[in-house]
Amino acid sequence: MNGAEFIASHIKGQGIKRVFTFPGGTIAPLLDALVREGIEIVCARHEQGAGYMALAAARLTHTPQVVMVTSGPGVTNLATVIADAYFDSTPLVAITGQVGSGDLLSGRHVRQCGFQQVETVSLMNSITKASCRPLKPKQLEAMLENAFKMTNEGRPGPVVIDLPMDVQNASFNGTRKKKSERKQKLPSIPEDQLTKASEIIAHAERPVILAGQGVIISKAVTELRSLAESRNIPVVMSLLGLGIVSGNSALSLGFAGHTGSQYAALAIHEADVLIVVGARLDVRQTGTMPEQFSPRAKIIRIDVDEQELRYSRVKCHISIRADIKDFLSMLLESIKNEPTINISKWHKQIAQWKSLYPLTYKDGDDVVKPQQIINAVDQESVNKEVIVTSGVGSHQQWSGRHFTFDYPRRIWLTSGGHGAMGYDLPSAIGAQLAHPDHLVVSFIGDGSFQMNIQELQSVVEFETPIKIFILDNQRLGLVSQFQLLNWHIDPTTGNKSNPDFSKIAKAYGIKTFRIDKKESIQKVVRDALNHKGPALVHCIIDQHEDVLPMLLAGSTMDKMLLPTQVEVMKRNERT
């Protein structure tokens, strides 16, 4: 066989039945080989669209997905997706076409030798677990095997294989491998640390769990819920961790940080023990003053990534490198022998904060509020298995706050660490392909939608019955809000003119709806969700609705900017 045929055979051997791509000349030999192996090829309308479809499928199935692009602009268009996979720990194998090995730069001090050539390996090094290029067909075997093992072991992430044309076309004798499975060997959990953690948690009077996406990745949702319920511990989640504890649970405090709730932030700020499980403690979670993050607490942190623990922004009392599922299983067994403390006073305090700082909004007389749309979709889908996607911006924060997530029945997919607009629509398509029986809903801002609007054709071509809600405030809302709070003007982000998105969707053959009056919300939402095929709802929302409360730079988590404070600021400005 030739190199391309061997790669296609290896992909099939991994149990992968579908790959995602946007084509080009330097990846064409591999595409041809995949067809002959009977592997489905999902061809998006842009490399970024193909990549985000793959990311959604990977996050939902916990298995590596394959995306393939051509050299040059194909590679650079995929870079955003690769970075997203890296920062949000998503297993992905990206195979990039490359010019023939004779046209590689190979130390020549010129900018380019071959057409559409870019130095992919060095370009991708900082945003991958590994980036490599075989120069001979016989190197393919080891590289492919390593790529599929590495991408999903330990803390998952992307691996890039840059594939020269001559390597794809050259003949050689290779052996098709079975599915690659390798669990990273981690050091055993020290008995004294486990015992100490058990004692600290058991004797806490104001405990809080901060659960991140690492809990989902390690398939430890059941164990974390058991810990929380057995000790009656309130749970705050990271933005990507929403649903680890059901939004309907009395123990759920939603998410905390930059745009989370004030009551979740206060719980962390006043806790005497904080158990951080699979969360990065990045600046969006802790604010810009990490030394004041949970200042009264003994912080116990568990993570699979040694470097996250070593270079933690927040000083921790106990740091344990472990697989989260393994650790929680051992902790549950260990803590059984510890006494149970009555923490009803702590729960009363949290209930008081919830009453003082609810995530509410003012009902407008003649405008539609975005929260009303999300609440309506939440209510109408309450008995369904749902996957929700969003882009990045105000609509992302409203979705996280006002939709009820409950993993794995009601799953949340969004771009976290990289914060990439345009994630929403293609990831909804990838989610529907991975879970055809789920209701897939995408809440999209008008700015984010136009990043990958071309994938509406993919919605139709692949017959994905996703429901798209465009929350159109003619504003790049979150950045506009940031600009107005700091400089009182919002150049480039306010008063954005938009097309009629319904007309665009109709041109693609998609059923459309419109919401511009609050009286029509419930009926339109119900009709859209009940429509058998894909549907797009263009929602004209209040242009002036902000995301509040918000944690500003230089503030501790107990002092988020509240809606009442913004009203005073606006009144003073007018005066």
Side-chain angles (χ1 to χ4, degrees):
M1 64 179 79
N2 65 24
E5 290 166 339
F6 174 74
I7 296 166
S9 171
H10 191 98
I11 289 172
K12 188 172 183 177
Q14 301 303 305
I16 293 172
K17 297 179 172 60
R18 175 189 294 129
V19 299
F20 301 86
T21 191
F22 187 83
T26 60
I27 204 70
L30 180 52
L31 292 172
D32 179 67
L34 287 167
V35 170
R36 284 183 275 116
E37 282 286 354
I39 294 173
E40 179 188 357
I41 299 174
V42 175
C43 182
R45 291 304 188 272
H46 189 279
E47 289 89 355
Q48 198 175 107
Y52 278 132
M53 291 177 201
L55 284 201
R59 282 175 64 175
L60 290 169
T61 63
H62 298 278
T63 57
Q65 300 295 306
V66 175
V67 61
M68 303 186 309
V69 299
T70 197
S71 58
V75 170
T76 54
N77 283 342
L78 191 65
T80 295
V81 173
I82 298 294
D84 213 312
Y86 187 63
F87 298 128
D88 285 353
S89 307
T90 307
L92 184 73
V93 174
I95 299 176
T96 59
Q98 184 57 279
V99 299
S101 55
D103 285 328
L104 296 172
L105 294 181
S106 302
R108 288 175 262 188
H109 299 293
V110 294
R111 295 187 181 184
Q112 190 181 55
C113 287
F115 173 64
Q116 289 190 331
Q117 179 189 9
V118 68
E119 189 44 50
T120 302
V121 173
S122 56
L123 185 71
M124 296 293 186
N125 269 336
S126 67
I127 52 172
T128 56
K129 292 185 79 173
S131 181
C132 55
R133 177 190 298 134
L135 295 177
K136 296 178 180 179
K138 65 182 181 181
Q139 295 173 327
L140 281 171
E141 211 160 340
M143 281 189 186
L144 283 165
E145 187 172 358
N146 195 50
F148 280 96
K149 286 177 180 176
M150 183 182 288
T151 186
N152 209 28
E153 71 175 358
R155 183 176 176 182
V159 175
V160 169
I161 299 176
D162 194 42
L163 202 56
M165 279 286 283
D166 55 322
V167 174
Q168 294 181 65
N169 289 322
S171 298
F172 82 114
N173 295 318
T175 307
R176 179 160 128 181
K177 297 289 184 181
K178 294 181 179 179
K179 188 172 182 179
S180 303
E181 291 183 4
R182 179 175 71 190
K183 188 170 182 179
Q184 187 177 21
K185 287 186 179 179
L186 298 172
S188 58
I189 299 166
E191 190 66 37
D192 59 332
Q193 281 192 316
L194 183 66
T195 302
K196 189 175 179 183
S198 300
E199 291 172 352
I200 290 172
I201 295 167
H203 290 87
E205 296 179 351
R206 302 185 308 279
V208 172
I209 294 171
L210 173 55
Q213 190 194 200
V215 175
I216 296 173
I217 292 171
S218 63
K219 303 177 184 176
V221 171
T222 299
E223 287 79 4
L224 189 126
R225 289 181 178 181
S226 295
L227 174 64
E229 290 163 6
S230 66
R231 291 280 155 174
N232 207 22
I233 303 174
V235 180
V236 175
M237 287 153 277
S238 70
L239 185 63
L240 295 185
L242 282 168
I244 289 172
V245 170
S246 169
N248 289 321
S249 169
L251 295 177
S252 171
L253 299 182
F255 72 101
H258 175 58
T259 49
S261 68
Q262 177 65 94
Y263 53 81
L266 280 165
I268 288 175
H269 192 76
E270 297 297 332
D272 65 349
V273 172
L274 180 66
I275 309 146
V276 182
V277 190
R280 292 190 298 118
L281 295 179
D282 70 344
V283 69
R284 283 293 178 105
Q285 288 178 341
T286 68
T288 58
M289 303 175 70
E291 69 283 355
Q292 292 298 315
F293 177 77
S294 204
R296 297 164 181 80
K298 291 180 179 177
I299 300 176
I300 301 167
R301 187 175 180 190
I302 304 95
D303 205 288
V304 75
D305 190 332
E306 183 180 11
Q307 303 308 317
E308 290 285 354
L309 297 174
R310 179 177 294 176
Y311 299 105
S312 178
R313 296 178 68 256
V314 174
K315 186 177 179 181
C316 300
H317 292 72
I318 299 177
S319 296
I320 300 174
R321 184 185 178 212
D323 176 85
I324 290 167
K325 189 177 183 73
D326 291 346
F327 172 81
L328 289 176
S329 298
M330 293 173 68
L331 180 65
L332 283 165
E333 193 61 36
S334 173
I335 210 167
K336 277 181 183 176
N337 302 320
E338 296 291 343
T340 301
I341 303 292
N342 186 339
I343 58 170
S344 57
K345 262 176 86 173
W346 178 228
H347 282 278
K348 284 178 184 175
Q349 175 63 81
I350 290 172
Q352 186 179 6
W353 287 331
K354 281 187 172 185
S355 177
L356 283 170
Y357 307 111
L359 285 174
T360 56
Y361 53 92
K362 285 187 177 179
D363 189 7
D365 293 330
D366 56 353
V367 291
V368 174
K369 296 289 185 177
Q371 300 95 327
Q372 293 171 323
I373 307 286
I374 295 163
N375 284 338
V377 176
D378 190 34
Q379 292 163 17
E380 290 294 329
S381 65
V382 70
N383 295 318
K384 297 182 177 171
E385 291 185 312
V386 186
I387 300 166
V388 172
T389 75
S390 85
V392 172
S394 299
H395 67 283
Q396 179 191 43
Q397 314 305 318
W398 291 320
S399 301
R401 287 177 172 185
H402 297 282
F403 198 88
T404 307
F405 294 102
D406 184 4
Y407 189 89
R409 284 193 67 256
R410 299 169 72 82
I411 300 173
W412 167 237
L413 298 178
T414 192
S415 175
H418 201 42
M421 295 170 69
Y423 175 97
D424 32 52
L425 178 58
S427 68
I429 299 167
Q432 192 75 84
L433 291 171
H435 286 310
D437 296 331
H438 280 59
L439 169 64
V440 177
V441 173
S442 192
F443 294 116
I444 312 181
D446 50 297
S448 192
F449 182 50
Q450 293 179 89
M451 292 284 181
N452 277 311
I453 193 170
Q454 76 285 340
E455 299 307 331
L456 287 175
Q457 185 59 49
S458 297
V459 172
V460 175
E461 181 176 336
F462 304 125
E463 299 179 340
T464 51
I466 64 175
K467 315 304 177 191
I468 305 162
F469 291 84
I470 311 297
L471 303 180
D472 182 1
N473 57 5
Q474 298 192 338
R475 177 186 179 203
L476 300 179
L478 209 55
V479 180
S480 168
Q481 179 178 331
F482 173 66
Q483 289 177 316
L484 290 171
L485 285 171
N486 287 280
W487 298 283
H488 312 296
I489 58 171
D490 56 353
T492 74
T493 60
N495 298 315
K496 306 292 286 185
S497 60
N498 287 323
D500 185 333
F501 294 122
S502 296
K503 289 182 178 178
I504 293 174
K506 279 180 184 176
Y508 282 101
I510 294 172
K511 177 74 173 175
T512 63
F513 301 83
R514 183 179 175 90
I515 294 176
D516 53 16
K517 293 183 177 61
K518 62 180 182 179
E519 294 79 16
S520 65
I521 292 174
Q522 208 71 37
K523 182 182 185 310
V524 172
V525 165
R526 186 179 299 124
D527 290 346
L529 294 184
N530 288 334
H531 179 65
K532 296 300 182 187
L536 181 143
V537 185
H538 188 180
C539 308
I540 310 301
I541 63 169
D542 184 1
Q543 188 175 25
H544 304 291
E545 185 71 7
D546 285 330
V547 177
L548 293 168
M550 176 177 278
L551 181 62
L552 301 182
S555 297
T556 52
M557 291 186 75
D558 59 327
K559 293 182 174 64
M560 296 181 76
L561 182 67
L562 301 171
T564 50
Q565 293 170 295
V566 173
E567 284 299 318
V568 171
M569 289 164 61
K570 287 179 178 177
R571 279 201 301 273
N572 291 342
E573 215 172 279
R574 287 194 294 270
T575 305

